[in-house]
Amino acid sequence: MNATYTGLPDLPLELNAMQVLGFKDPDKGDWSRLRALQYRELHQTATVRLTAHTIAAAMICLIYFASVPGVLLAAWAVALLFAVANVVRVESDLASLDNRQMKRREFGSHAIAVCAMATCWAVPLLAFASTGSEAAHFALWTVVAMLVAGSALTMYKAPITGIVWATICGIASMFSFAMEGNWLFALASIFFCTVVIGGTLSTARIFLTARIAEAGAAEKDEVVSLLLREFEENQADWLWQIDANRKIKAASPRFAFALGEEAKDIEGRRMVELMAGNNWKDGTLPPSLHELADQLKRRESFSHLTVQVDLGGNRRWWELSGTPIFNDKGKFDGFRGVGSDVTEQRESAEKIAYLARYDTLTGLPNRLMLTEALNDALRYAEQWKTRCAFLMIDLDRFKAVNDSLGHHIGDKMLAQVSQRLQAVITENEHVGRLGGDEFAIVIRDAAKASHVRELAEDVIAALSAPYSVDNHTLYIGASIGSALGPRDGNTVETLMRNADLALYRAKDEGGGEYRAFQPSLHADAQERLKLEASLRNAIGNQELEVNFQPVVNANSEDVVSFEALLRWNSKDHGFVSPAKFIPLAEDTRLIVPIGDWVLREACRHAAMWPENVKVAVNVSGEQLLEPNFARTVVCALADSGLPAHRLEVEVTESVFLRDGRTARQSLEEILALGCSVALDDFGTGYSSLGYLRTLRFSTIKVDRSFVQGASEGNAESLAIINAVVAMAKSLEMSTTAEGVEDMEQADLVRGLGCDKIQGYYFGRPMPATEALSLVLKRRSNAAA
């Protein structure tokens, strides 16, 4: 125990006699605190001492009644009683030392009072003894000796009292016997008082040691109690304690409040029963309460044990820690611990766990949970020598809906998609959302060969049905790729990658298809990666070239323009078909830098042609979405010196599906420059009547498929060409027929009213030098 904090010296006690008596300050500890421990209980024996002194005084008066004048005896008795009463008064004032410290003045007052009382008893030894007989003298000494011994026994707590008594009375006894020549009893008196003084000091030291230990322990308990009270008042936790029968004892108010009861009402009741609530009667305790009961039964310490409790029908979660307690004899006396309500933390943790495993928009399992389900399916397939399957689903045309109508519509559609997927699957399948517009299905047991295909077809049919979202009737589709485990992969990563390759093949074939994984898809993927790497360096390696295909006037057959067509002659792959590398460039967004290069090259070459010959350049949707596309066109025109009216930008209907507003804005900026815009492949994709009304297209190009159909007598193709021509004339637009390969087709489209013709019959795509030679040759022929 540290004196700095308690005012008490350290144990074992190391105080000399002067420090024990109070004449000197202790080396460690506080003088006032030590004196308070010694003097605070003296008043408890005051009545006994007052009675003892009264009886002793009466005995002395009887012994010396015949030899000492009565007046003198009476005066002495009165003085003695006053002295004793004064001691009692002083000690009564010291009764309050439990709540304060003792002052040195009080210490001195008590010593003087005791000294006065002892002096009163020295008077008969020195004055009365010589007047009586020897027997009376011994009787007097016996009474005084008894008082000295009694004082030593009752006032050992304050040793100065017993020592003053023994010293004064011992000296007086010695002189009284010495005056009569009884040196033996004189020495005996001194020896007796010396023993009393020594015993008093020893007893006082033992008492002081015990009191210091008790005070230290009490202060420790007080500090602990204070800390516990402060803990309960300032924290959300509470203290709990049960006895050996697991019944609550010393219930704290906060613990009672947590149970929804008063502290007095839960005292003596079984804690587990209170925590179980209504479940106690049913006998259906949560597993966590069973675990708590087992811990209490085994009398083992536990910490941070989370248990489910029922409080008036409301489920709560508590976190408990407890330690068994044993009494001084080592007997088990119950448990003591701390608890807290962690319901909010538990619910937050459960919500976080849910968010980590489920998709918040659709409520379906997310990628993490699908991965776990696929891993379990692979283990099941390996254990039972069967097969599992993984289906990867991608929504067709969903991006167009999302971009054109907004994400809120897209989110509602995804919710409907998830409902349809859940309606299709059985207990053998798990469906989830991978992210965006991608979903997946895990088939736990795919032993039946046709089951995977049948499920995929059912999913495509279900997702392709029309959707009704906020008064919009919408149509999308789905493409699916699958992989079987462990045949197509014995790990989750391999199986998902192979299903993705199959999905890519399904999308590549136009969408709305199901494709199963084949080993050859790996080779295709590797080739695609190599092709992409080469395409990234194609411009720098000067492997790209712009060819030009002539477009002629349908009547005069004069060249009115050239369409710029990109060719790639790779040093690694040789000549690569545009049908192969153009989609790759669009998927990787390489089409943006490649398209810019084509635009600059086309304008540069077209600037060398006659002023009446235009150049048409195909522009992708990715280019139109670039914020500075119009500036790119301006730079290409400025660098080449080509007039804006000689540049025609060709777009397909698909550019309006991703972000129609941005695409329309870019085209309007191009039209404002003086360039013209042509709509390519009209009629092969989506209805473009809305765009024809809002944008000033200069030309509508009739797709080669309609020209081929019309030449073969297909009535529908003929009707479409007639309708397009009529519509273009009403909108003051020209028409160009694509894919004309012979004279008969040329005459046919000419007769149907097409203004311009493009196709192999009038010229294949050719290098820039040949295109220049062609226009110069036709000009000279015309001049001749």
Side-chain angles (χ1 to χ4, degrees):
M1 200 178 304
N2 195 314
T4 304
Y5 297 98
T6 65
L8 300 174
D10 296 334
L11 296 177
L13 195 61
E14 296 179 357
L15 297 177
N16 57 40
M18 299 300 287
Q19 292 171 331
V20 172
L21 293 173
F23 292 120
K24 288 183 64 177
D25 289 343
D27 296 332
K28 294 181 180 179
D30 182 66
W31 181 92
S32 298
R33 185 72 193 279
L34 286 177
R35 301 292 81 78
L37 291 177
Q38 290 177 316
Y39 283 79
R40 66 186 182 184
E41 296 176 357
L42 288 180
H43 69 282
Q44 295 176 356
T45 60
T47 303
V48 174
R49 284 186 281 115
L50 179 61
T51 303
H53 281 277
T54 302
I55 293 172
M59 293 175 64
I60 297 303
C61 288
L62 288 173
I63 292 171
Y64 287 100
F65 180 76
S67 60
V68 176
V71 176
L72 186 60
L73 283 175
W76 169 78
V78 172
L80 175 64
L81 291 177
F82 270 108
V84 174
N86 185 49
V87 172
V88 172
R89 180 189 63 79
V90 172
E91 290 177 353
S92 298
D93 292 339
L94 299 178
S96 61
L97 288 178
D98 278 334
N99 302 317
R100 63 182 180 86
Q101 292 184 333
M102 188 173 183
K103 301 175 181 178
R104 294 181 186 271
R105 176 178 55 79
E106 293 174 320
F107 173 78
S109 298
H110 184 263
I112 292 171
V114 172
C115 184
M117 185 176 64
T119 301
C120 286
W121 279 106
V123 168
L125 287 170
L126 296 174
F128 296 171
S130 60
T131 64
S133 64
E134 185 177 5
H137 191 178
F138 282 118
L140 173 61
W141 183 81
T142 301
V143 171
V144 173
M146 290 176 63
L147 289 176
V148 169
S151 176
L153 289 174
T154 59
M155 302 181 71
Y156 65 89
K157 302 170 184 178
I160 187 65
T161 303
I163 291 174
V164 167
W165 252 101
T167 301
I168 293 176
C169 292
I171 293 173
S173 296
M174 181 191 71
F175 276 107
S176 69
F177 283 115
M179 285 188 298
E180 294 182 0
N182 195 342
W183 296 102
L184 178 62
F185 269 91
L187 292 175
S189 298
I190 293 299
F191 177 75
F192 172 74
C193 291
T194 302
V195 171
V196 169
I197 291 172
T200 301
L201 279 174
S202 178
T203 305
R205 190 185 301 275
I206 294 172
F207 167 78
L208 199 54
T209 301
R211 283 295 180 265
I212 289 173
E214 289 177 3
E219 287 187 352
K220 279 186 176 179
D221 289 342
E222 185 178 354
V223 170
V224 170
S225 299
L226 181 62
L227 290 174
L228 291 177
R229 285 197 300 271
E230 184 179 354
F231 171 79
E232 279 209 316
E233 291 172 0
N234 298 323
Q235 300 292 328
D237 298 9
W238 62 79
L239 303 174
W240 60 271
Q241 185 173 344
I242 58 175
D243 60 19
N245 296 319
R246 302 174 213 163
K247 294 181 178 180
I248 297 172
K249 71 174 184 178
S252 68
R254 291 189 68 86
F255 181 39
F257 179 78
L259 285 167
E261 303 276 356
E262 294 292 334
K264 58 183 177 62
D265 296 332
I266 65 173
E267 193 77 23
R269 298 175 63 182
R270 292 185 180 274
M271 185 172 77
V272 176
E273 180 180 352
L274 287 171
M275 293 167 64
N278 297 330
N279 296 324
W280 181 263
K281 297 179 181 178
D282 303 336
T284 56
L285 299 186
S288 57
L289 274 182
H290 278 295
E291 185 179 357
L292 172 63
D294 290 341
Q295 294 280 8
L296 297 177
K297 187 183 298 183
R298 291 196 296 266
R299 300 178 181 178
E300 295 176 349
S301 296
F302 57 90
S303 62
H304 305 297
L305 176 63
T306 302
V307 296
Q308 178 184 331
V309 299
D310 185 293
L311 303 177
N314 295 323
R315 188 185 74 168
R316 307 290 295 179
W317 291 95
W318 288 1
E319 186 177 84
L320 301 176
S321 297
T323 304
I325 51 179
F326 300 88
N327 59 21
D328 297 338
K329 298 180 180 179
K331 183 180 177 182
F332 175 68
D333 204 21
F335 266 85
R336 181 185 294 121
V338 64
S340 61
D341 191 315
V342 294
T343 304
E344 292 184 4
Q345 297 91 312
R346 175 84 179 201
E347 291 176 350
S348 297
E350 289 177 350
K351 185 175 181 180
I352 292 172
Y354 177 85
L355 293 176
R357 300 170 68 83
Y358 286 89
D359 176 60
T360 54
L361 176 62
T362 62
L364 294 177
N366 61 10
R367 180 181 290 270
L368 173 62
M369 199 166 179
L370 281 172
T371 301
E372 293 176 354
L374 182 55
N375 195 40
D376 290 341
L378 281 170
R379 283 200 301 266
Y380 178 85
E382 182 179 359
Q383 179 181 359
W384 299 103
K385 306 303 178 185
T386 183
R387 294 184 298 183
C388 64
F390 184 74
L391 279 67
M392 191 170 286
I393 306 166
D394 186 83
L395 301 181
D396 300 330
R397 301 183 298 279
F398 172 76
K399 190 169 184 58
V401 173
N402 213 29
D403 291 341
S404 59
L405 297 179
H407 290 283
H408 66 290
I409 298 293
D411 290 347
K412 291 182 179 180
M413 174 171 275
L414 288 176
Q416 292 190 27
V417 168
S418 69
Q419 294 172 1
R420 296 187 185 188
L421 287 173
Q422 288 175 303
V424 170
I425 65 169
T426 66
E427 293 181 355
N428 187 39
E429 294 95 28
H430 296 275
V431 64
R433 184 186 179 202
L434 295 175
D437 59 352
E438 285 190 341
F439 295 81
I441 295 176
V442 175
I443 302 179
R444 182 177 177 82
D445 187 356
K448 186 179 178 182
S450 60
H451 177 60
V452 179
R453 174 173 289 278
E454 290 171 357
L455 178 61
E457 291 173 351
D458 290 344
V459 169
I460 291 174
L463 300 186
S464 299
Y467 296 81
S468 178
V469 183
D470 288 358
N471 299 321
H472 296 280
T473 300
L474 306 171
Y475 295 85
I476 59 173
S479 300
I480 300 178
S482 72
L484 293 176
R487 186 194 71 182
D488 299 332
N490 54 11
T491 66
V492 170
E493 294 76 13
T494 304
L495 215 56
M496 294 182 75
R497 184 184 69 238
N498 291 342
D500 193 35
L501 290 174
L503 173 62
Y504 182 81
R505 173 58 59 88
K507 298 284 287 186
D508 197 40
E509 293 180 1
E513 300 288 340
Y514 160 71
R515 289 293 178 267
F517 172 75
Q518 297 175 353
S520 60
L521 294 179
H522 267 305
D524 295 343
Q526 293 296 325
E527 181 185 358
R528 175 182 169 87
L529 288 174
K530 293 178 181 177
L531 204 63
E532 179 185 341
S534 298
L535 186 58
R536 290 184 181 279
N537 300 315
I539 296 177
N541 294 339
Q542 298 182 346
E543 297 173 356
L544 298 179
E545 180 184 4
V546 179
N547 283 1
F548 299 91
Q549 186 176 25
V551 179
V552 301
N553 183 285
N555 296 316
S556 66
E557 297 187 356
D558 291 335
V559 176
V560 294
S561 65
F562 284 92
E563 180 179 1
L565 301 171
L566 183 62
R567 297 295 181 261
W568 180 24
N569 189 12
S570 171
K571 66 178 182 179
D572 296 323
H573 307 280
F575 179 78
V576 183
S577 169
K580 195 170 188 178
F581 75 81
I582 293 296
L584 177 61
E586 289 180 340
D587 288 345
T588 58
R589 297 200 83 251
L590 289 172
I591 195 66
V592 175
I594 291 175
D596 293 348
W597 180 83
V598 171
L599 179 63
R600 291 194 302 271
E601 285 293 296
C603 290
R604 183 173 66 85
H605 289 294
M608 305 176 190
W609 302 338
E611 292 184 359
N612 63 326
V613 179
K614 293 185 176 183
V615 63
V617 180
N618 290 284
V619 174
S620 74
E622 294 292 337
Q623 289 176 272
L624 287 179
L625 294 181
E626 287 293 304
N628 295 322
F629 178 68
R631 183 179 179 82
T632 301
V633 174
V634 170
C635 291
L637 294 173
D639 292 344
S640 64
L642 182 72
H645 72 273
R646 292 181 56 194
L647 174 63
E648 186 173 60
V649 173
E650 289 191 9
V651 296
T652 61
E653 300 168 84
S654 62
V655 301
F656 300 104
L657 294 177
R658 179 172 175 182
D659 189 346
R661 179 177 300 176
T662 302
R664 189 159 41 246
Q665 181 178 347
S666 296
L667 291 175
E668 287 174 350
E669 291 175 355
I670 293 171
L671 289 169
L673 295 174
C675 303
S676 56
V677 178
L679 185 60
D680 198 5
D681 298 335
F682 180 76
T684 60
Y686 309 93
S687 173
S688 306
L689 297 178
Y691 305 126
L692 291 174
R693 186 180 67 253
T694 57
L695 274 174
R696 293 178 291 107
F697 290 100
S698 59
T699 302
I700 299 177
K701 301 187 76 172
V702 180
D703 188 69
R704 65 179 65 248
S705 61
F706 299 127
V707 174
Q708 295 293 329
S711 66
E712 295 170 359
N714 185 287
E716 183 177 334
S717 298
L718 286 168
I720 290 175
I721 295 176
N722 278 319
V724 170
V725 170
M727 180 177 61
K729 289 184 182 299
S730 66
L731 295 174
E732 297 181 353
M733 300 177 185
S734 63
T735 52
T736 300
E738 294 182 298
V740 175
E741 298 180 353
D742 53 39
M743 183 183 299
E744 288 76 8
Q745 291 180 352
D747 292 337
L748 174 64
V749 297
R750 186 183 297 114
L752 290 173
C754 290
D755 300 305
K756 292 175 284 187
I757 302 174
Q758 180 181 353
Y760 285 176
Y761 178 65
F762 293 101
R764 291 176 175 272
M766 61 192 70
T769 54
E770 295 183 15
L772 179 60
S773 299
L774 177 63
V775 294
L776 292 177
K777 180 180 179 181
R778 286 189 175 250
R779 171 182 278 188
S780 61
N781 290 339

